[in-house]
Amino acid sequence: FFFSSRRRHTRFLPVSWARRCVQETVLMDCQMPVLDGFEATKILRQMMQNRQLPYCTIIACTAFAMDKDEQKCYECGMDDVITKPVSQKMFKEVMIRPVSYTHLR
């Protein structure tokens, strides 16, 4: 599932809907029910590699702040990590930081 706030109500949508919603940046919750953010990211990256979706930046949003948790985010294809609780300053820093795109090589 991926998160969409395009309308007034926040909701979770199936990954197949991602084709209809072009996003430049996705803030991916790692601890989602049913399909966690790690698996959802793998599916989205595969769709991007198959040219079913345009490339977008995926930023992990997680309550876990250990190095091994951060590494897991990068290994599944996320571009950056932000830990909860998210402050406005932290969010701004992550959004302006350059992305390496190493997982696309």
Side-chain angles (χ1 to χ4, degrees), residues 12 15 31-32 38 46 54 56-57 64 67 70 72 79-82 84 95-97 100:
F12 290 95
V15 171
Q31 290 79 36
M32 293 187 298
F38 304 108
Q46 187 63 48
C56 70
T57 301
F64 303 118
D67 287 340
E70 189 172 315
K72 184 177 179 181
D79 298 295
D80 211 333
V81 179
I82 191 167
K84 299 175 191 176
M95 293 304 291
I96 62 173
R97 192 168 25 219
S100 68

Side-chain angles (χ1 to χ4, degrees), residues 59-62 64 70 73-74 78-83 94 97:
I59 300 172
C61 186
T62 181
F64 303 118
E70 189 172 315
C73 294
Y74 293 122
M78 295 179 188
D79 298 295
D80 211 333
V81 179
I82 191 167
T83 55
V94 168
R97 192 168 25 219

Side-chain angles (χ1 to χ4, degrees), residues 31-53:
Q31 290 79 36
M32 293 187 298
V34 183
L35 180 65
D36 67 30
F38 304 108
E39 290 303 313
T41 297
K42 290 176 187 177
I43 292 168
L44 291 173
R45 289 295 183 217
Q46 187 63 48
M47 292 172 76
M48 290 173 203
Q49 287 181 344
N50 293 338
R51 302 202 190 295
Q52 295 170 305
L53 286 176

Side-chain angles (χ1 to χ4, degrees), residues 82 85-97:
I82 191 167
V86 179
S87 69
Q88 187 175 15
K89 179 184 176 197
M90 185 188 316
F91 183 74
K92 184 178 178 182
E93 287 173 2
V94 168
M95 293 304 291
I96 62 173
R97 192 168 25 219

